[in-house]
Amino acid sequence: MKNHLVRTHRSAEHFPREEHLAWQIAEVATDPVEVAPETAEMIVNRIIDNAAVAAAALTRRPVANARAQALAHPYRPGATVFGAEGRFSPEWTAWANGVAVRELDFHDTFLAAEYSHPGDNIPAILAVAQHAGRTGRDLLRGLATGYEIQIDLVRSICLHEHKIDHVAHLGPSAAAGIGSLLGLDTETIYQAIGQALHTTTATRQSRKGEISSWKAYAPAFAGKMAVEAVDRALRGEGAPAPVWEGEDGVIAWLLGGSGAEYSVPLPGPGEPKRAILDSYTKEHSAEYQSQAPIDLARRMRERIGDLDQIASIVLHTSHHTHVVIGTGSNDPQKFDPGASRETLDHSVPYIFAVALQDGTWHHERSYTPERAQRPDTVALWRGISTAEDPEWTRRYHSTDPREKAFGARAEVTLKSGEVIVDELAVADAHPLGARPFAREQYVAKFRTLAEGVVDPAEQDRFLEVAQRTGELTADELPQLSFTVSPDVLARAPHAPKGLF
């Protein structure tokens, strides 16, 4: 990997285009290096993972509305929308599938200086691949780039510190991935990256306070913007430049300011794009920093015994966990039994309480109003707090994968005064966890979440196609989706008609 120093440059300063971060990313996208077998294997896993969580979310209102918008834009050749027959405009397909994938907050993650769900790259890049008549091999190249660029940006540029939403790293990565997929030249990809970044920077209020369905829509919007940015760049339209480093650019006014410097690692020429191997998926439908606490709660139930004897619980954890999903956020909504699902899945006190009581976690049952409003749950929940521990913060930011941790130390104080302590650094499903996910677990996750939604024969067909993604012809690539019966789609709540 080569580190690129990125800072603001005055307009009058000599700053060659070849030194712009957007140009350097575009050069990575155009590098013809082959996709390594282990990278290709993991990409297939994540294609299956995305389809699994999309199936589970298919009848939820935000997903149904996004799908309805896409279905209002039929197009040939077009791309395929989860659950639907026919072909649709690729940018609207990216939108609908992006919402379906993100709605339950249940797919892959990478955490470093910033947060990310790099699987958000898949809907946009896949939609363009289907529309443009590309092969499975082309798709693997595009997705390897998308994952690489987003993860490399996440390693080095913190957005949330400046209250910018993490999808600002997704627009450029998806644009770069589409560029790799299509075999575009550096100039075109450079312009598309600049446009994609400029149209996807927004505040992170989407994940603060009263969290709404826009939490799932924001990444899908970034994917849609990436598709449109590539379309405009192909037509010869340009972007703000230098988009990150300009005097009035992203760094100067949205991030660390004119004096800030960032060191961004990118693969050198001929270096394989392997970043996807550093990411990890979820066993539980909750914010990633809740994964290890859920497993920890399940492990501690037997030691604690009678949960009514709990006086208080403190979760000692990293700064990120404390301020994003813990009491350090100062969000009263995180303790509100009437809060939205989106808010509850960003409340580690709620999640720890329910996992402790139930000994399990379910993507639907754990979030129902009846579950959240149980008096014994509310009492336990409001006795749970988080505290930042410098050692957990250090481990969160460690570059050594053996030391990097996203968990917590739980101190459970009983009414008798006894204190029960346990800790867990990584989730059981993490590559270094007790039960790491491999192909068998990804397939099982798909089967579980698709049950009652996708017909078993259609499940078999999709899994067969997905597991030979790299061999798919252009004619076969549209099969990398699934359909469901009209009866399943009819379960979605009725929503008013919009403009389309």
Side-chain angles (χ1 to χ4, degrees), residues 102-118:
R102 191 57 178 274
E103 167 67 9
L104 292 178
D105 207 345
F106 203 178
H107 62 326
D108 67 15
T109 303
F110 179 77
L111 304 172
E114 186 48 51
Y115 325 123
S116 69
H117 295 278

Side-chain angles (χ1 to χ4, degrees), residues 37 107 205 218 232 253 263 284 355 359 379 410 433 443 472 484:
H107 62 326
Q205 189 62 37
R232 287 188 294 268
W253 290 100
S263 182
H284 314 297
V443 170
L472 297 178
V484 301

Side-chain angles (χ1 to χ4, degrees), residues 442-478:
Y442 284 99
V443 170
K445 183 176 176 180
F446 176 81
R447 294 284 193 191
T448 298
L449 297 183
E451 185 177 358
V453 178
V454 182
D455 182 82
E458 178 70 349
Q459 292 182 34
D460 293 342
R461 184 205 62 76
F462 170 78
L463 288 171
E464 188 276 328
V465 172
Q467 291 183 87
R468 57 183 183 90
T469 292
E471 306 164 8
L472 297 178
T473 66
D475 289 339
E476 292 176 309
L477 203 63

Side-chain angles (χ1 to χ4, degrees), residues 297-305 307 355-359:
R298 296 191 301 181
R299 191 167 81 183
M300 295 186 75
R301 292 179 79 240
E302 187 174 342
R303 286 183 61 195
I304 296 170
L307 301 183
L356 200 56
Q357 289 183 326
D358 295 353

